[in-house]
Amino acid sequence: MPPEQFQKQLLAWFDIHGRKDLPWQQNISPYRVWLSEIMLQQTQVVSVIAYFNRFVTRFPTVQALAEAGLDEVLQHWAGLGYYARARNLHKTAQLIAGNNGEFPQTVEELSALPGIGRSTAGAILSIACGQSQSILDGNVKRVLTRFHGVRGWPGETKVATRLWRISSEYTPQKRCGDYTQAMMDLGATLCTRSKPRCTSCPVIDGCEAYKLNLTSQLPEPKPRKTLPVKQVFFLVLQDRQHRLLLERRPPAGIWGGLWSLPEFADRQQLRDWCLQQDYQLSEPTELPVHRHGFSHYQLEYIPILATLQNPINYVMEANSAVWYKPSDIHSLGLPAPVKRLLQHNYLEDHDDKND
DNA sequence: AAGTCGGGGAT
DNA sequence: ATCCCAGACTT
């Protein structure tokens, strides 16, 4: 889609559906836009509104902010988090006050100030000064990765560079402030991270992610370096006929509905469960830890081997458990690591001639 | 390129 | 519970 058409459709949508009643959208000035942009870094709109109003009531101008003490500035920031933002805000206010209260009018000079990066500088210049400058915040990243079907994590330098280029290609020469606001509104209200409302989107006809049904896959999340490790204990319990105890897993979650070994978060829960089931065990043997990799985590499991010493109380098992001959487990469709564990320990035909 | 800062909302 | 949010800065 040509940039002119994208801008036209986006701005037409913004005129009807865009947010125009936020506190920092009234009495627009470089100071108020700057303050709002800093407060909105990594912070959601609903959380900022009250802080912004209290802040501009106490510090109506950049001069007032510069003349205040840092401790009072921090007091008005308390609860917003990322307190380096408040310290940088105060420092930058003093720099600007020393410049006769005038904000720099270039991206280079603005982003040289403490706490102002490239995107914040672009937002200030486009919204407060009417300059044709692009931004790339979380909303615009999400909108553009989807619209252009950009693969890869946006935090990666290569991907971010490409997104900056796309962002600048779509930035108009006219209505620059409205365009910047519109892109953020689109990302915040329609092109949301989960369950985007694509049918209401003004640029759906050019969206690559919508066309390829990839909206739920984009933008790609930060790649996990080391997968989280989840540790569990598997009880490998045999009765005196050498049958193995299997349990049906809950219908949802990993291995949903499959038969598997009873699983516990730790040794104590295993003991408690045996007590509750009226299982009297032999002295348990712990096998070395095994690992099984899933796409989203690593399962570390420790098999605990034991033999049942008392007769089975079938009433308590209530059909959620079953005792299976080791030679028959292959017909059961067990989870792969469980099957491997049982085969390795009970189905090796090395010395079970007399059984 | 990766780590840090932070309270709060969404899921 | 985890992930993410109108990011910027340091290591």
Side-chain angles (χ1 to χ4, degrees):
Chain A
M1 178 185 291
E4 302 78 33
Q5 187 186 348
F6 183 92
Q7 296 152 10
K8 186 181 175 185
Q9 294 178 195
L10 179 71
L11 285 167
W13 170 83
F14 174 77
D15 288 335
I16 300 171
H17 296 107
R19 297 175 294 185
K20 304 171 193 73
D21 51 354
L22 296 170
W24 44 92
Q25 294 176 314
Q26 322 306 317
N27 305 317
I28 291 178
S29 70
Y31 172 66
R32 291 168 64 87
V33 172
W34 166 57
L35 176 61
S36 71
E37 287 300 323
I38 302 301
M39 284 187 168
L40 286 161
Q41 288 171 2
Q42 299 296 292
T43 310
Q44 298 185 352
V45 168
V46 288
S47 309
V48 165
I49 292 175
Y51 281 91
F52 180 88
N53 286 330
R54 274 189 279 125
F55 208 93
V56 293
T57 298
R58 170 59 187 87
F59 312 109
T61 64
V62 65
Q63 288 88 352
L65 179 56
E67 290 165 8
L70 176 59
D71 48 358
E72 193 184 358
V73 175
L74 286 169
Q75 280 178 20
H76 282 77
W77 202 272
L80 259 188
Y82 282 88
Y83 297 95
R85 293 186 294 175
R87 290 189 288 272
N88 286 333
L89 197 73
H90 189 231
K91 199 179 304 174
T92 290
Q94 295 177 332
L95 289 172
I96 293 175
N99 187 33
N100 199 21
E102 294 168 12
F103 280 73
Q105 302 284 312
T106 68
V107 170
E108 290 70 27
E109 291 176 286
L110 262 184
S111 56
L113 293 168
I116 301 181
R118 181 175 171 185
S119 188
T120 299
I124 294 170
L125 290 178
S126 63
I127 295 171
C129 308
Q131 283 191 30
S132 174
Q133 299 290 351
S134 45
I135 66 168
L136 191 64
D137 66 0
N139 286 316
V140 177
K141 281 178 185 168
R142 191 167 52 252
V143 169
L144 293 181
T145 54
R146 284 176 175 162
F147 190 77
H148 266 250
V150 175
R151 310 303 301 255
W153 176 52
E156 193 183 341
T157 303
K158 196 176 109 183
V159 179
T161 301
R162 181 179 168 199
L163 289 171
W164 268 112
R165 188 178 68 248
I166 296 173
S167 179
S168 65
E169 284 170 1
Y170 281 91
T171 300
Q173 295 298 319
K174 301 174 183 175
R175 296 194 66 184
C176 313
D178 286 348
Y179 175 84
T180 295
Q181 293 279 4
M183 286 293 279
M184 295 193 287
D185 282 0
L186 185 64
T189 64
L190 293 187
C191 197
T192 49
R193 184 166 61 86
S194 62
K195 298 180 184 171
R197 298 171 53 200
C198 296
T199 53
S200 303
C201 178
V203 291
I204 186 176
D205 49 332
C207 182
E208 200 69 13
Y210 181 79
K211 184 166 34 171
L212 302 177
N213 198 21
L214 286 176
T215 54
S216 63
Q217 317 285 320
L218 299 177
E220 291 184 14
K222 177 179 183 172
R224 291 278 152 211
K225 211 175 190 60
T226 56
L227 274 57
V229 178
K230 183 191 176 188
Q231 190 182 58
V232 298
F233 294 82
F234 282 139
L235 174 61
V236 185
L237 183 59
Q238 284 192 301
D239 66 7
R240 283 180 287 202
Q241 290 81 48
H242 304 294
R243 294 179 305 176
L244 287 159
L245 176 63
L246 297 180
E247 204 179 37
R248 192 187 287 285
R249 297 185 60 90
I254 189 68
W255 302 330
L258 294 188
W259 291 95
S260 181
L261 294 164
E263 175 192 314
F264 304 92
D266 55 52
R267 297 172 180 84
Q268 186 57 48
Q269 289 193 15
L270 186 151
R271 281 192 290 271
D272 292 347
W273 184 81
C274 287
L275 225 56
Q276 184 190 332
Q277 300 291 318
D278 196 28
Y279 290 152
Q280 295 165 20
L281 306 194
S282 62
E283 186 58 31
T285 305
E286 282 198 19
L287 263 43
V289 58
H290 290 62
R291 283 200 173 204
H292 181 73
F294 292 103
S295 58
H296 46 311
Y297 67 91
Q298 275 205 311
L299 182 67
E300 195 176 83
Y301 60 97
I302 297 167
I304 297 189
L305 274 48
T307 303
L308 186 65
Q309 304 291 50
N310 57 325
I312 299 164
N313 183 343
Y314 288 100
V315 176
M316 301 196 64
E317 290 176 356
N319 284 340
S320 61
V322 67
W323 293 87
Y324 239 77
K325 285 192 296 186
S327 55
D328 289 345
I329 62 166
H330 67 272
S331 66
L332 216 48
L334 300 170
V338 174
K339 189 173 204 169
R340 199 162 51 244
L341 171 67
L342 295 181
Q343 283 181 341
H344 184 70
N345 287 287
Y346 299 99
L347 293 181
E348 302 281 315
D349 49 350
H350 35 76
D351 61 349
D352 53 2
K353 319 186 215 337
N354 46 2
D355 215 310

